[in-house]
Amino acid sequence: MAVLRSAVIAILLLTSAAAAQAPRVTSPMQEFGHGFGDDYFLASYRQIAAYWEKLARESDRMVLDTIGQTAEGRVQLMAIVTSPANHRNLARYKQISRRLALAEGLTDADAHSLAGEGKTVVWIDGGLHATELLGAQQLGQIVYEMVSRTDAETMRILDDVIILFVHANPDGNDLTAEWYMRNAVPEQRGSGPGIPRLYQKYIGHDNNRDFFASTQPESENMNRVLYREWSPQILYNHHQSGPAGTVLWAPPLRDPFNYNQDPMIPLGITQVAMAMHLRLAAEGKPGATMRSGGAYDGWWNGGLRNTATFHNIIGLLTEMIGGPTPTQIPLVMSRQLPTSDLPYPIAPQRWRFRQSIEYSMTTNRAVLDLASRERENFLFNVYRMGKNSIERGSRDHWTPRPERLDAVAARIASAGAGGGGTGRGGGGGRAGGSGFARDSANYELLRDPRLRDPRGYILPADQPDFPTATRFINALLETGITVHRATGPFTVGARQYPAGSYVVKTAQAFRPHIIDMFEPQDHPDVIPYPGAPPTPPYDNAGWTLALQMGVKFDRVLEGFEGPFDVIPDWNLAPPAGRVIAASTGRGNPAGYVFRHEPNNSFTAINRLLAAGQEVSWLLGPSAAPRASTAPRAPSASAATTTLPAGTFYVAARSQTRALLDRAARELGVSFEAVAARPSGRDAIRLKPIRIGLWDRYGGSMPSGWTRWILEQFEFPYEVTYPPMLDAGNLRTRYDVLVFVDGAIPAVSSAGRQGGAGGGAPGGDAAPGASLPPEWAARQGNVTAERTIPALKAFLAEGGTVLAIGSSATGLASHLGLGLTSHLVEKGPNGESTSTPLPSSRYFVPGSLLDVRVDVESPVAHGLTERTNMFFDESPVWALTPQAATQGIRRVAWYDSPTPLVSGWAWGQSALEGGLAVVEAPVGRGRVVLFAPEILQRAQPHGTFKLFFNSLYYPTGTRTKM
């Protein structure tokens, strides 16, 4: 009896001790009256944020950090969860993580010592794509579990790991949750129209396409944490939805992976991903697929987890099913046979949201458990990758390129050498003897010194559009790249550079990202078998940001030094321009001239016109007497300044100088005073323009990006929806109408088409659906029956219509313009047919192509004769016989059989002779049609001028200067 009594007392004491250790925190049920994952319930960001604030007060495992504001002005939160002891030394662990990631000045022994002292830093996010409803809800659940559970595994994880829980899209979480929960009848939630607008203010789903350009506040907030502050070793990015017949897709990724990355990245991803799959199987959770089970490869840069991998972070992605409205896993026969990419199939069944939450907890804990067990290895490995990058940037190095392998293989084959490799993935050579010598010589062909990776890049300060070069530098700075600025003139090789030039050296830990932003991508030909259509890349095949932005830079192949200072800033303003107006005794200036090349010149124009100033655009070269002591071109006299076509002129008025001083200071645009108006040439007198930008119910991402661009450059605009267009009388309201890709339908074989689709997030509202008037007024599509006649009337009355991508082709068809597809089969005599080229012979996913530009066209003023354009399975046109009589003018076209600059272009010779940009008069108005995506994701600044020119050029008044 005494023994029994002692045992009971011991149990009570242990229970009491456990109870004392267990945190007393509020559960989701206590907070919301629901658990995360309950049927027909979604917590909004406002609710989650308030809950996190409460947990941070209740638990010593959690602190709440504000990482910035969102596009709509909400505070974006990050919950930092680890043991109380770690919180007391958090600054030190953050310093260690950052020090190891940068790798500079460390020996292996130093790194091992720091790895032994440090803690693994793991980023787990949720809710980035807000209509993928699981992400934000699982984030709320895992935070609760990590601050409340006391099992041995949780306690070990808290001791070894610092977890950064980041809500990736607060605005979208509020919109989607409140829209779903608005119906008072739970079983009817989710059955009505989709959300009425984009779930991230401007870009919706493309918020996961912004992480190397870093244009949006949320991208900047997260990039700052990732690449300037914490530098985690692992990042886990939650998405939806899993492939049909499964519960989720998780890495390993399918090939290709990006050749700029350290080989430890794909291996590290595989290591952590296998821990996920193994734990799911061990817990009896079937239905996880990998590799070929999804479309996700390791090639592209730009997504949250993708950009992380170019910074030596193990970036993970899962795509999982589930939502608050119960659903069904369908029977997919091909998913029922176990394979190495789907080892544990799942039976068809009814699926509840709570099951998805539980699967998410398993994958989260698998990552955290491995991060704990392999703590020192993860910390040391990120240093090792950083050191590898520094070493590669400090010596001769060649990044593999498929085209280079093909060229050498072809050379070997033509020489009849035998032995060795004969192509991509060809067989190995023979060891020893002449075979070895031959293979060594052939291998050296891949090491042509002219094809080395650069040791650095120099962006000269005297390039035509230095403010845009500064925008590019900001994209690098915001992703943690070290950039230098020259404090004085310097010389590298045979070239002299002015003070203020930017210098980016590649001997730094994040070298993979640097190379990826400057160098062309060379996507391999992924074709399953001869004659098969290519396997599309997950996203773009080529995106080189410096080339998209039209930045001028020099590649430096040898080490170099100069009077360089590191730029400490997170975001630079463009270097100030000048107002050159020193008097030469000619009296007050008549006005000021400024160049067309800087994109920021259009911001200056918008400000000047808004202030009532007189601004003109010279259509041809001219000259004007100087009213300044400005340095002159060698061909110019001391008394005159030569003005190329496209020069802008603003007449001097009482407020002009003050406006120009501000523009020069803020925009980096320079102005030169002239003593008299330029003379002898036609010009356009510009006027404030009224822009109507098409959008639709649910929101169009290309339209959202266009809104953002217009606002960045201070263009006035109004968003217009199909019912507003259908009402007609458009000329009284607008000067220009803009239709982005997906707005205007094609003409069907019957000559009519009901409306344009386009896959907007949320889709169109159901006919007759009950919506507030604000949203109901946005319903509908552009139609041949109602909208096209209104557009024809608008053009007849002198309006301008700009159209991009499929909308350009659709508009041309509806207007009967002499354009047809260039990408068609050829007949026996070389004549064009109506049969489109099959993808097995022609395929160009998102890539950069070189085009020839007619720089005499005002649409192309400010560009050079050769320009890179972003192309994504875009239309390519040919002129029909009636084109000449209709006055159609080509502005840009493909004049080469090899236009590919960056990416992948299978059968690219088919592009030669095809048209990319055309303009034409219609009635008293004008249309300008852009086949490629000249505004794609706000990245191709190098083609923005085509858009800006087309807004102003047709709407101004022709005059003589």
Side-chain angles (χ1 to χ4, degrees), residues 596-649:
H596 205 111
E597 290 88 346
N599 285 341
N600 279 1
S601 289
F602 287 91
T603 311
I605 289 169
N606 290 328
R607 291 182 181 181
L608 289 166
L609 292 176
Q613 300 292 303
E614 177 193 322
V615 184
S616 298
W617 171 350
L618 306 185
L619 293 179
S622 184
R626 293 177 180 275
S628 72
T629 56
R632 61 183 183 275
S635 60
S637 72
T640 63
T641 180
T642 301
L643 306 175
T647 298
F648 297 116
Y649 169 78

Side-chain angles (χ1 to χ4, degrees), residues 636-662:
S637 72
T640 63
T641 180
T642 301
L643 306 175
T647 298
F648 297 116
Y649 169 78
V650 54
R653 295 179 176 175
S654 60
Q655 298 299 315
T656 305
R657 178 59 191 268
L659 291 166
L660 298 187
D661 284 340
R662 180 190 170 200

Side-chain angles (χ1 to χ4, degrees), residues 511-676:
R511 177 183 179 275
H513 190 71
I514 297 170
I515 299 295
D516 207 60
M517 293 295 99
F518 279 99
E519 297 294 312
Q521 283 78 44
D522 183 12
H523 195 285
D525 295 332
V526 184
I527 300 174
Y529 54 88
T535 301
Y538 170 66
D539 198 89
N540 294 333
W543 51 83
T544 314
L545 188 59
L547 301 181
Q548 285 198 72
M549 295 184 74
V551 172
K552 308 302 180 186
F553 62 90
D554 289 332
R555 305 166 74 251
V556 182
L557 300 184
E558 304 288 351
F560 64 99
E561 297 297 334
F564 309 144
D565 281 350
V566 171
I567 298 174
D569 308 67
W570 163 258
N571 203 307
L572 296 173
R578 294 195 298 160
V579 179
I580 307 168
S583 175
T584 58
R586 296 175 180 265
N588 293 326
Y592 302 83
V593 292
F594 56 109
R595 299 296 296 264
H596 205 111
E597 290 88 346
N599 285 341
N600 279 1
S601 289
F602 287 91
T603 311
I605 289 169
N606 290 328
R607 291 182 181 181
L608 289 166
L609 292 176
Q613 300 292 303
E614 177 193 322
V615 184
S616 298
W617 171 350
L618 306 185
L619 293 179
S622 184
R626 293 177 180 275
S628 72
T629 56
R632 61 183 183 275
S635 60
S637 72
T640 63
T641 180
T642 301
L643 306 175
T647 298
F648 297 116
Y649 169 78
V650 54
R653 295 179 176 175
S654 60
Q655 298 299 315
T656 305
R657 178 59 191 268
L659 291 166
L660 298 187
D661 284 340
R662 180 190 170 200
R665 183 174 65 252
E666 295 178 357
L667 304 176
V669 177
S670 290
F671 305 86
E672 181 181 352
V674 291

Side-chain angles (χ1 to χ4, degrees), residues 22 59 72 79 112 121 145 211 241 252 358 388 392 440 452 502 523 537 541 595 598 699 711 822 853 885 891 934:
S59 173
E72 295 180 9
H112 277 300
V121 180
E145 290 195 8
F211 283 94
S241 181
E358 291 167 354
N388 291 344
R392 290 172 187 137
S440 296
R452 289 170 290 168
Y502 299 123
H523 195 285
R595 299 296 296 264
E711 289 178 16
H822 179 74
V853 177
T885 60
V891 177
I934 59 166

Side-chain angles (χ1 to χ4, degrees), residues 42-45 133 172-182:
L42 284 179
S44 67
Y45 177 73
L133 303 174
N173 186 182
D174 272 350
L175 173 64
T176 54
E178 291 169 4
W179 190 257
Y180 180 83
M181 296 293 290
R182 78 192 190 284

Side-chain angles (χ1 to χ4, degrees), residues 691-697 717-734 736-737 739 773-783 786-791 793-794:
I691 301 169
L693 171 63
W694 167 89
D695 207 333
R696 62 178 165 219
Y697 182 93
Y717 73 94
E718 176 183 298
V719 177
T720 184
Y721 295 90
M724 299 162 64
L725 296 169
D726 293 348
N729 204 24
L730 298 171
R731 192 69 182 92
T732 63
R733 190 167 184 172
Y734 304 114
V736 185
L737 289 171
F739 294 91
E774 174 190 1
W775 307 125
R778 300 185 179 188
Q779 291 181 273
N781 291 309
V782 170
T783 64
R786 294 180 61 86
T787 321
I788 297 301
L791 296 183
F794 175 72

